Coordinates of all heavy atoms in Angstrom, one line a residue:
M1 N -8.5 2.3 22.2 CA -9.1 1.3 21.2 C -8.5 -0.1 21.5 O -9.2 -1.1 21.6 CB -8.8 1.7 19.8 CG -9.1 0.8 18.8 SD -10.9 0.5 18.6 CE -11.3 1.9 17.7
F2 N -7.1 -0.2 21.8 CA -6.5 -1.5 22.0 C -7.0 -2.3 23.2 O -7.3 -3.3 23.2 CB -5.0 -1.3 22.1 CG -4.3 -2.6 22.2 CD1 -4.2 -3.4 21.0 CD2 -3.7 -3.1 23.3 CE1 -3.5 -4.7 21.0 CE2 -3.1 -4.2 23.4 CZ -2.9 -5.1 22.3
M3 N -7.3 -1.4 24.3 CA -7.7 -2.1 25.6 C -9.1 -2.6 25.4 O -9.4 -3.7 25.9 CB -7.6 -1.1 26.7 CG -6.2 -0.6 27.0 SD -5.0 -1.8 27.5 CE -5.5 -2.1 29.2
S4 N -10.0 -1.9 24.8 CA -11.3 -2.3 24.6 C -11.6 -3.4 23.5 O -12.3 -4.3 23.7 CB -12.3 -1.2 24.5 OG -12.1 -0.3 25.4
Y5 N -10.9 -3.1 22.4 CA -11.1 -3.9 21.2 C -9.7 -4.3 20.5 O -9.3 -3.7 19.6 CB -11.9 -3.1 20.2 CG -13.3 -2.8 20.8 CD1 -13.5 -1.4 21.2 CD2 -14.4 -3.7 20.8 CE1 -14.8 -1.0 21.7 CE2 -15.5 -3.2 21.3 CZ -15.7 -2.0 21.8 OH -17.0 -1.6 22.3
P6 N -8.9 -5.1 21.3 CA -7.6 -5.4 20.7 C -7.5 -5.9 19.3 O -6.6 -5.4 18.5 CB -7.0 -6.5 21.6 CG -8.2 -7.0 22.4 CD -9.3 -6.1 22.4
E7 N -8.5 -6.6 18.8 CA -8.3 -7.2 17.5 C -8.5 -6.0 16.5 O -7.8 -5.9 15.4 CB -9.5 -8.1 17.2 CG -9.4 -9.4 17.9 CD -10.1 -9.2 19.3 OE1 -10.8 -8.2 19.5 OE2 -9.9 -10.1 20.2
I8 N -9.4 -5.0 16.8 CA -9.7 -3.8 16.0 C -8.5 -2.8 15.9 O -8.0 -2.5 14.9 CB -10.9 -3.1 16.3 CG1 -12.1 -4.0 16.0 CG2 -11.1 -1.8 15.5 CD1 -13.4 -3.5 16.6
G9 N -7.9 -2.8 17.2 CA -6.7 -1.9 17.4 C -5.5 -2.4 16.5 O -4.7 -1.7 16.0
I10 N -5.3 -3.7 16.5 CA -4.2 -4.3 15.8 C -4.4 -4.1 14.4 O -3.4 -3.8 13.6 CB -4.0 -5.8 16.1 CG1 -3.6 -6.0 17.5 CG2 -3.2 -6.5 15.1 CD1 -2.2 -5.4 17.9
E11 N -5.7 -4.4 13.8 CA -5.9 -4.2 12.5 C -5.7 -2.8 11.9 O -5.2 -2.6 10.8 CB -7.3 -4.6 12.1 CG -7.5 -6.2 12.1 CD -6.4 -7.0 11.3 OE1 -6.3 -6.6 10.1 OE2 -5.9 -8.0 11.7
I12 N -6.3 -1.9 12.8 CA -5.9 -0.5 12.5 C -4.5 -0.1 12.4 O -4.0 0.6 11.5 CB -6.7 0.5 13.4 CG1 -8.2 0.4 13.2 CG2 -6.2 2.0 13.2 CD1 -9.0 1.1 14.3
S13 N -3.6 -0.6 13.4 CA -2.2 -0.2 13.4 C -1.5 -1.0 12.3 O -0.6 -0.3 11.8 CB -1.7 -0.8 14.8 OG -1.7 -2.1 15.0
K14 N -2.0 -2.2 11.9 CA -1.4 -2.9 10.7 C -1.7 -2.1 9.4 O -0.8 -1.9 8.6 CB -1.9 -4.3 10.5 CG -1.3 -5.2 11.6 CD -1.9 -6.6 11.6 CE -2.2 -7.3 10.3 NZ -2.9 -8.6 10.5
R15 N -2.9 -1.5 9.3 CA -3.2 -0.6 8.2 C -2.3 0.6 8.2 O -1.7 1.0 7.2 CB -4.6 -0.2 8.3 CG -5.0 0.6 6.9 CD -6.6 0.7 7.0 NE -7.2 -0.6 7.0 CZ -8.6 -0.6 7.4 NH1 -9.2 0.4 7.7 NH2 -9.2 -1.9 7.4
R16 N -2.1 1.2 9.3 CA -1.3 2.5 9.4 C 0.3 2.1 9.1 O 0.9 2.9 8.4 CB -1.3 3.1 10.8 CG -2.7 3.6 11.1 CD -3.1 4.8 10.3 NE -4.5 5.1 10.4 CZ -5.4 4.7 9.5 NH1 -5.1 4.2 8.4 NH2 -6.7 5.1 9.7
Y17 N 0.7 1.0 9.6 CA 2.0 0.6 9.3 C 2.3 0.4 7.7 O 3.2 0.8 7.2 CB 2.3 -0.8 10.1 CG 3.7 -1.2 10.0 CD1 4.7 -0.7 10.9 CD2 4.2 -2.1 8.9 CE1 6.0 -1.2 10.7 CE2 5.4 -2.5 8.9 CZ 6.4 -2.0 9.6 OH 7.8 -2.5 9.6
R18 N 1.2 -0.3 7.1 CA 1.4 -0.5 5.7 C 1.4 0.8 4.9 O 2.0 0.9 3.9 CB 0.2 -1.5 5.2 CG 0.2 -2.8 5.8 CD 1.0 -3.9 4.8 NE 0.8 -5.2 5.3 CZ 1.8 -6.1 5.4 NH1 3.0 -5.6 5.1 NH2 1.5 -7.2 5.8
E19 N 0.6 1.7 5.4 CA 0.6 2.9 4.8 C 2.0 3.7 4.9 O 2.5 4.3 3.9 CB -0.5 3.9 5.4 CG -1.9 3.6 5.0 CD -3.0 4.3 5.8 OE1 -2.6 5.1 6.7 OE2 -4.1 4.2 5.5
A20 N 2.5 3.7 6.1 CA 3.9 4.2 6.2 C 4.8 3.4 5.4 O 5.8 4.2 4.8 CB 4.3 4.2 7.8
E21 N 4.7 2.2 5.3 CA 5.7 1.3 4.5 C 5.6 1.7 3.0 O 6.5 2.0 2.3 CB 5.2 -0.2 4.7 CG 6.3 -1.1 4.3 CD 5.9 -2.5 4.7 OE1 4.8 -2.8 4.6 OE2 6.8 -3.2 5.1
A22 N 4.3 1.9 2.5 CA 4.0 2.4 1.2 C 4.7 3.7 0.8 O 5.0 4.0 -0.3 CB 2.7 2.3 0.8
S23 N 4.7 4.6 1.9 CA 5.2 6.0 1.6 C 6.8 6.1 1.6 O 7.3 7.0 1.3 CB 4.6 6.9 2.7 OG 5.3 6.7 4.0
G24 N 7.4 4.8 2.0 CA 8.8 5.0 2.2 C 9.3 5.4 3.5 O 10.6 5.7 3.7
A25 N 8.4 5.5 4.5 CA 8.9 6.0 5.8 C 9.8 5.1 6.4 O 9.8 3.8 6.3 CB 7.7 6.2 6.7
E26 N 10.6 5.7 7.4 CA 11.6 4.7 8.0 C 11.2 4.7 9.6 O 11.6 3.9 10.3 CB 12.9 5.4 7.9 CG 13.6 5.2 6.6 CD 14.9 5.8 6.4 OE1 15.5 6.1 7.4 OE2 15.4 5.9 5.2
I27 N 10.5 5.7 10.0 CA 10.0 5.8 11.4 C 8.5 6.4 11.5 O 8.2 7.1 10.7 CB 10.9 6.9 12.0 CG1 12.4 6.5 12.1 CG2 10.4 7.3 13.5 CD1 13.3 7.6 12.7
I28 N 7.9 5.6 12.5 CA 6.6 6.3 12.8 C 6.7 6.8 14.2 O 7.1 6.2 15.2 CB 5.4 5.0 12.8 CG1 5.4 4.5 11.4 CG2 4.1 5.6 13.3 CD1 4.5 3.2 11.5
L29 N 6.3 8.1 14.2 CA 6.4 8.9 15.6 C 5.0 9.0 16.2 O 4.1 9.3 15.4 CB 7.0 10.3 15.4 CG 8.6 10.3 15.0 CD1 8.8 11.7 14.7 CD2 9.3 9.7 16.1
T30 N 4.9 8.9 17.4 CA 3.7 9.2 18.2 C 4.1 9.7 19.6 O 5.1 9.5 20.1 CB 2.8 7.9 18.2 OG1 1.6 8.2 19.0 CG2 3.5 6.8 19.1
F31 N 3.2 10.4 20.1 CA 3.3 11.0 21.4 C 2.5 10.2 22.5 O 2.6 10.4 23.7 CB 3.0 12.4 21.5 CG 3.5 13.1 22.7 CD1 4.9 13.3 23.0 CD2 2.7 13.7 23.6 CE1 5.4 13.8 24.2 CE2 3.2 14.2 24.8 CZ 4.6 14.3 25.1
C32 N 1.5 9.5 21.9 CA 0.6 8.7 22.7 C 1.2 7.3 23.0 O 1.5 6.4 22.2 CB -0.7 8.5 22.0 SG -1.9 7.4 22.7
P33 N 1.4 7.0 24.4 CA 1.9 5.7 24.8 C 1.3 4.6 24.3 O 1.6 3.4 23.9 CB 2.0 5.8 26.3 CG 1.9 7.1 26.7 CD 1.1 7.9 25.6
M34 N -0.2 4.6 24.3 CA -1.0 3.5 23.9 C -1.0 3.4 22.4 O -0.9 2.2 22.0 CB -2.6 3.8 24.3 CG -3.3 2.6 24.4 SD -2.6 1.5 25.8 CE -2.8 -0.1 25.0
C35 N -0.9 4.5 21.6 CA -0.7 4.3 20.2 C 0.6 3.6 19.9 O 0.7 2.8 18.9 CB -0.8 5.7 19.6 SG -2.5 6.4 19.7
E36 N 1.7 4.0 20.6 CA 3.1 3.5 20.4 C 2.9 2.0 20.6 O 3.5 1.2 19.8 CB 4.0 4.1 21.4 CG 5.3 3.6 21.3 CD 6.3 4.1 22.3 OE1 5.9 5.0 23.2 OE2 7.5 3.8 22.4
H37 N 2.4 1.5 21.7 CA 2.2 0.1 22.0 C 1.5 -0.6 20.9 O 1.9 -1.6 20.4 CB 1.5 -0.1 23.4 CG 1.1 -1.5 23.7 ND1 2.2 -2.3 24.2 CD2 0.0 -2.2 23.5 CE1 1.5 -3.6 24.3 NE2 0.3 -3.4 24.1
T38 N 0.3 -0.1 20.5 CA -0.5 -0.7 19.4 C 0.3 -0.7 18.1 O 0.2 -1.7 17.4 CB -1.9 0.0 19.4 OG1 -2.4 0.1 20.6 CG2 -2.7 -0.7 18.4
L39 N 0.8 0.3 17.8 CA 1.6 0.4 16.5 C 2.9 -0.6 16.5 O 3.1 -1.2 15.5 CB 2.1 1.8 16.2 CG 1.0 2.8 15.7 CD1 1.6 4.1 15.8 CD2 0.7 2.4 14.3
R40 N 3.5 -0.8 17.6 CA 4.5 -1.8 17.7 C 3.9 -3.2 17.6 O 4.5 -4.1 16.9 CB 5.3 -1.6 19.0 CG 6.2 -0.4 19.1 CD 7.1 -0.5 20.1 NE 8.0 0.7 20.0 CZ 8.8 1.1 20.9 NH1 8.8 0.7 22.1 NH2 9.6 2.2 20.7
K41 N 2.8 -3.5 18.2 CA 2.2 -4.8 18.2 C 1.9 -5.1 16.7 O 2.1 -6.1 16.2 CB 0.9 -4.8 19.0 CG 1.3 -4.9 20.5 CD 1.8 -6.4 20.7 CE 2.1 -6.5 22.2 NZ 2.9 -7.7 22.4
G42 N 1.2 -4.0 16.0 CA 0.8 -4.3 14.6 C 2.1 -4.6 13.8 O 2.1 -5.4 12.9
A43 N 3.2 -3.8 14.0 CA 4.5 -4.0 13.3 C 5.0 -5.4 13.6 O 5.5 -6.2 12.6 CB 5.5 -3.0 13.7
E44 N 4.9 -5.9 14.8 CA 5.3 -7.3 15.1 C 4.4 -8.3 14.3 O 5.0 -9.4 13.8 CB 5.2 -7.5 16.6 CG 6.3 -6.8 17.4 CD 6.0 -6.9 18.9 OE1 5.2 -7.7 19.4 OE2 6.6 -6.1 19.7
F45 N 3.1 -8.1 14.3 CA 2.3 -9.1 13.6 C 2.7 -9.1 12.2 O 2.7 -10.2 11.6 CB 0.8 -8.5 13.7 CG 0.1 -9.2 15.0 CD1 0.2 -8.5 16.1 CD2 -0.7 -10.3 14.9 CE1 -0.4 -9.0 17.4 CE2 -1.5 -10.8 16.0 CZ -1.2 -10.0 17.2
I46 N 2.9 -8.0 11.6 CA 3.3 -8.0 10.1 C 4.6 -8.7 9.9 O 4.8 -9.4 9.0 CB 3.3 -6.6 9.6 CG1 2.0 -5.9 9.5 CG2 4.0 -6.4 8.3 CD1 1.8 -4.5 9.3
A47 N 5.6 -8.5 10.8 CA 6.9 -9.2 10.7 C 6.7 -10.6 10.7 O 7.3 -11.4 10.0 CB 7.8 -8.6 11.7
R48 N 5.9 -11.1 11.6 CA 5.6 -12.5 11.7 C 4.8 -13.1 10.6 O 5.1 -14.2 10.2 CB 4.8 -12.8 13.0 CG 5.6 -12.7 14.3 CD 4.9 -13.3 15.5 NE 5.6 -12.9 16.8 CZ 5.2 -12.1 17.6 NH1 4.0 -11.4 17.6 NH2 5.9 -11.8 18.7
E49 N 4.0 -12.4 9.9 CA 3.3 -12.8 8.8 C 4.2 -13.0 7.6 O 3.9 -13.8 6.8 CB 2.1 -11.8 8.4 CG 1.0 -11.7 9.4 CD 0.0 -10.5 9.0 OE1 0.3 -9.7 8.1 OE2 -0.9 -10.4 9.7
E50 N 5.3 -12.3 7.6 CA 6.2 -12.5 6.5 C 7.3 -13.6 6.8 O 8.1 -13.8 5.8 CB 7.0 -11.1 6.3 CG 6.0 -10.0 5.9 CD 6.7 -8.7 5.9 OE1 7.8 -8.5 6.2 OE2 6.0 -7.7 5.4
I51 N 7.1 -14.3 7.8 CA 8.0 -15.5 8.0 C 7.7 -16.6 6.9 O 6.5 -16.8 6.8 CB 7.8 -16.1 9.4 CG1 8.4 -15.0 10.4 CG2 8.7 -17.4 9.6 CD1 8.2 -15.4 11.9
D52 N 8.7 -17.2 6.4 CA 8.5 -18.2 5.4 C 8.6 -19.5 6.1 O 9.7 -20.0 6.5 CB 9.5 -18.1 4.3 CG 9.3 -19.2 3.1 OD1 8.2 -19.6 3.0 OD2 10.3 -19.4 2.4
F53 N 7.5 -20.2 6.2 CA 7.3 -21.5 6.8 C 7.7 -22.7 5.8 O 6.7 -23.4 5.4 CB 6.0 -21.7 7.6 CG 5.8 -20.8 8.7 CD1 4.9 -19.8 8.6 CD2 6.4 -21.1 9.9 CE1 4.7 -18.8 9.7 CE2 6.3 -20.2 11.0 CZ 5.4 -19.1 10.9
D54 N 8.8 -22.6 5.3 CA 9.0 -23.8 4.2 C 9.3 -25.1 5.0 O 9.3 -25.2 6.2 CB 10.3 -23.3 3.4 CG 11.5 -23.0 4.0 OD1 11.5 -23.3 5.4 OD2 12.5 -22.5 3.6
E55 N 9.8 -26.1 4.2 CA 10.0 -27.4 4.8 C 11.2 -27.4 5.7 O 11.3 -28.4 6.4 CB 10.1 -28.4 3.6 CG 11.3 -28.0 2.6 CD 11.2 -28.7 1.4 OE1 10.1 -28.9 0.8 OE2 12.3 -29.2 0.9
D56 N 12.1 -26.5 5.6 CA 13.3 -26.4 6.5 C 13.1 -25.8 7.8 O 14.0 -25.6 8.6 CB 14.5 -25.8 5.7 CG 14.9 -26.6 4.5 OD1 14.7 -27.8 4.5 OD2 15.4 -25.9 3.6
Y57 N 11.9 -25.2 7.9 CA 11.7 -24.4 9.1 C 11.5 -25.3 10.4 O 10.8 -26.2 10.4 CB 10.3 -23.6 9.0 CG 10.1 -22.6 10.1 CD1 10.7 -21.3 10.1 CD2 9.3 -22.9 11.2 CE1 10.4 -20.4 11.2 CE2 9.1 -22.1 12.3 CZ 9.6 -20.8 12.3 OH 9.5 -19.9 13.3
D58 N 12.3 -24.9 11.5 CA 12.3 -25.7 12.7 C 11.3 -25.2 13.7 O 11.6 -24.3 14.3 CB 13.7 -25.7 13.1 CG 13.9 -26.7 14.4 OD1 13.0 -27.3 14.7 OD2 15.0 -26.6 14.9
F59 N 10.2 -26.0 13.7 CA 9.1 -25.4 14.7 C 9.5 -25.7 16.1 O 8.9 -25.1 17.0 CB 7.9 -26.1 14.3 CG 7.1 -25.6 13.1 CD1 7.3 -26.2 11.9 CD2 6.3 -24.5 13.2 CE1 6.9 -25.7 10.8 CE2 5.8 -23.9 12.1 CZ 6.0 -24.5 10.8
D60 N 10.5 -26.6 16.4 CA 10.8 -26.9 17.8 C 11.8 -25.8 18.3 O 11.9 -25.6 19.4 CB 11.4 -28.2 17.9 CG 10.5 -29.4 17.6 OD1 9.3 -29.2 17.9 OD2 10.9 -30.4 17.0
N61 N 12.5 -25.2 17.3 CA 13.6 -24.2 17.7 C 13.4 -23.0 16.9 O 14.2 -22.8 16.0 CB 15.0 -24.7 17.7 CG 15.1 -25.8 18.8 OD1 14.9 -25.5 19.9 ND2 15.8 -26.9 18.3
P62 N 12.2 -22.3 16.8 CA 12.1 -21.2 15.8 C 13.1 -20.0 16.0 O 13.5 -19.7 17.2 CB 10.7 -20.8 16.0 CG 10.3 -21.1 17.4 CD 11.2 -22.4 17.7
P63 N 13.5 -19.4 15.0 CA 14.4 -18.2 15.2 C 13.6 -17.0 15.8 O 12.4 -17.1 15.7 CB 14.8 -17.9 13.7 CG 13.6 -18.4 12.9 CD 13.1 -19.6 13.6
P64 N 14.3 -16.1 16.3 CA 13.5 -14.9 16.9 C 12.8 -14.2 15.6 O 13.1 -14.3 14.6 CB 14.6 -14.0 17.4 CG 15.8 -14.4 16.9 CD 15.7 -16.0 16.5
P65 N 11.6 -13.6 16.1 CA 10.8 -12.9 14.9 C 11.8 -11.8 14.4 O 12.5 -11.2 15.0 CB 9.6 -12.3 15.7 CG 10.0 -12.4 17.1 CD 11.0 -13.4 17.3
P66 N 11.6 -11.6 13.1 CA 12.3 -10.5 12.5 C 11.9 -9.2 13.0 O 10.8 -9.0 13.5 CB 11.9 -10.6 10.9 CG 10.6 -11.4 10.9 CD 10.5 -12.3 12.2
E67 N 12.9 -8.2 12.9 CA 12.7 -6.8 13.2 C 11.8 -6.2 12.3 O 11.9 -6.4 11.1 CB 14.0 -6.1 13.3 CG 14.9 -6.5 14.5 CD 14.3 -6.0 15.9 OE1 13.8 -5.0 15.9 OE2 14.3 -6.8 16.8
P68 N 10.8 -5.4 12.8 CA 9.9 -4.7 11.6 C 10.9 -3.7 10.9 O 11.8 -3.2 11.3 CB 9.1 -3.8 12.6 CG 9.0 -4.6 13.9 CD 10.4 -5.3 14.1
K69 N 10.5 -3.5 9.7 CA 11.2 -2.6 8.7 C 11.2 -1.1 9.2 O 12.2 -0.4 8.9 CB 10.6 -2.7 7.3 CG 10.8 -4.1 6.8 CD 10.0 -4.2 5.5 CE 10.0 -5.7 5.0 NZ 9.1 -6.0 3.9
I70 N 10.1 -0.8 9.8 CA 9.9 0.7 10.2 C 9.9 0.7 11.7 O 9.2 -0.1 12.4 CB 8.5 1.2 9.7 CG1 8.6 1.1 8.1 CG2 8.4 2.7 10.2 CD1 7.2 1.5 7.6
K71 N 10.7 1.6 12.2 CA 10.8 1.8 13.7 C 9.7 2.6 14.2 O 9.1 3.6 13.6 CB 12.0 2.5 14.1 CG 13.2 1.8 14.0 CD 14.5 2.6 14.3 CE 15.8 1.8 14.0 NZ 16.9 2.6 14.4
V72 N 9.0 2.2 15.3 CA 7.9 2.9 16.0 C 8.4 3.5 17.1 O 9.1 2.8 18.0 CB 6.7 2.0 16.3 CG1 5.7 2.8 17.0 CG2 6.2 1.4 15.1
L73 N 8.5 4.9 17.2 CA 9.1 5.6 18.3 C 8.1 6.5 19.0 O 7.3 7.2 18.4 CB 10.4 6.4 17.9 CG 11.4 5.6 17.3 CD1 12.4 6.5 16.7 CD2 12.1 4.7 18.3
N74 N 8.4 6.8 20.3 CA 7.7 7.9 20.9 C 8.4 9.1 20.6 O 9.6 9.1 20.5 CB 7.6 7.6 22.5 CG 7.1 8.7 23.3 OD1 7.4 9.8 23.2 ND2 5.9 8.2 23.9
L75 N 7.7 10.3 20.5 CA 8.3 11.5 20.1 C 9.4 11.9 20.9 O 10.5 12.3 20.5 CB 7.2 12.6 20.1 CG 7.7 14.0 19.6 CD1 8.2 13.9 18.1 CD2 6.6 15.0 19.6
I76 N 9.3 11.7 22.3 CA 10.3 12.0 23.2 C 11.5 11.2 23.1 O 12.7 11.7 23.0 CB 9.9 11.9 24.7 CG1 8.7 12.9 24.9 CG2 11.0 12.1 25.7 CD1 9.1 14.3 24.8
E77 N 11.4 9.9 22.7 CA 12.5 8.9 22.5 C 13.3 9.5 21.3 O 14.4 9.3 21.1 CB 11.8 7.6 22.2 CG 12.7 6.4 22.1 CD 12.0 5.1 21.9 OE1 10.8 5.0 21.6 OE2 12.5 4.1 22.3
W78 N 12.6 10.0 20.3 CA 13.1 10.4 19.0 C 13.8 11.8 19.2 O 15.0 12.0 18.7 CB 12.1 10.6 17.9 CG 12.6 11.1 16.6 CD1 13.4 10.4 15.7 CD2 12.4 12.4 16.1 NE1 13.5 11.2 14.6 CE2 13.0 12.4 14.8 CE3 11.8 13.4 16.5 CZ2 13.0 13.5 14.0 CZ3 11.6 14.6 15.7 CH2 12.3 14.6 14.5
L79 N 13.4 12.7 20.1 CA 13.9 14.0 20.4 C 15.1 14.0 21.2 O 16.1 14.8 21.0 CB 12.8 15.0 21.0 CG 11.8 15.5 20.0 CD1 10.8 16.2 20.7 CD2 12.4 16.3 18.8
L80 N 15.2 13.1 22.2 CA 16.3 13.1 23.2 C 17.6 13.0 22.6 O 18.5 13.7 23.1 CB 16.1 11.9 24.2 CG 15.0 12.2 25.3 CD1 14.8 11.0 26.2 CD2 15.4 13.5 26.1
P81 N 17.8 12.2 21.6 CA 19.2 12.1 21.0 C 19.7 13.4 20.3 O 20.9 13.7 20.2 CB 19.1 11.0 19.9 CG 18.0 10.1 20.4 CD 17.1 11.0 21.0
L82 N 18.7 14.2 19.9 CA 19.0 15.5 19.3 C 19.7 16.5 20.3 O 20.3 17.5 20.0 CB 17.7 16.1 18.7 CG 17.2 15.3 17.6 CD1 15.9 15.9 17.1 CD2 18.1 15.2 16.5
R83 N 19.4 16.2 21.6 CA 20.0 17.2 22.7 C 21.4 17.0 23.0 O 22.0 17.8 23.6 CB 19.1 16.9 24.0 CG 17.6 17.3 23.8 CD 17.0 17.4 25.1 NE 17.5 18.5 25.9 CZ 17.3 18.6 27.1 NH1 16.5 17.8 27.8 NH2 17.9 19.7 27.8
N84 N 21.9 15.9 22.5 CA 23.4 15.6 22.8 C 24.2 16.2 21.9 O 24.2 16.5 20.8 CB 23.6 14.1 22.9 CG 22.9 13.4 24.0 OD1 22.6 14.0 25.0 ND2 22.6 12.1 23.8

């Protein structure tokens, strides 16, 4: 979906992220690399939307974007630490 229709893919991933956020989730797991990419992009978009552009915001030297509240991980990435 993301490759053919990136705008739709981002909107769907933002919706899924908001659903996970509302449920109290801390992690979104996927086994699909493209879904992982799209979900991370959606999380980044949401994090940027929450930036407060008040009068003190320095547009010439912006701070790094905030980290998303929920981690998006590939299932293997999540399972590997369990093996140690």
Side-chain angles (χ1 to χ4, degrees):
M1 175 69 78
F2 185 75
M3 297 299 280
S4 301
Y5 304 98
E7 299 86 10
I8 295 171
I10 292 296
E11 288 306 313
I12 291 170
S13 68
K14 286 168 56 177
R15 187 175 299 161
R16 295 294 165 257
Y17 185 89
R18 294 266 188 231
E19 288 172 354
E21 201 173 38
S23 76
E26 296 177 9
I27 297 172
I28 299 174
L29 291 175
T30 181
F31 196 65
C32 169
M34 204 63 223
C35 293
E36 178 185 2
H37 173 77
T38 307
L39 285 164
R40 283 189 178 166
K41 285 289 181 197
E44 289 171 12
F45 272 83
I46 289 171
R48 285 190 189 114
E49 288 171 359
E50 295 174 353
I51 294 174
D52 184 20
F53 294 105
D54 61 6
E55 59 198 42
D56 296 328
Y57 189 84
D58 185 358
F59 286 93
D60 293 326
N61 296 309
E67 288 291 319
K69 297 172 189 166
I70 300 173
K71 293 180 182 178
V72 177
L73 300 173
N74 185 294
L75 184 60
I76 299 299
E77 190 177 17
W78 181 73
L79 287 173
L80 282 177
L82 298 177
R83 296 190 66 191
N84 294 334

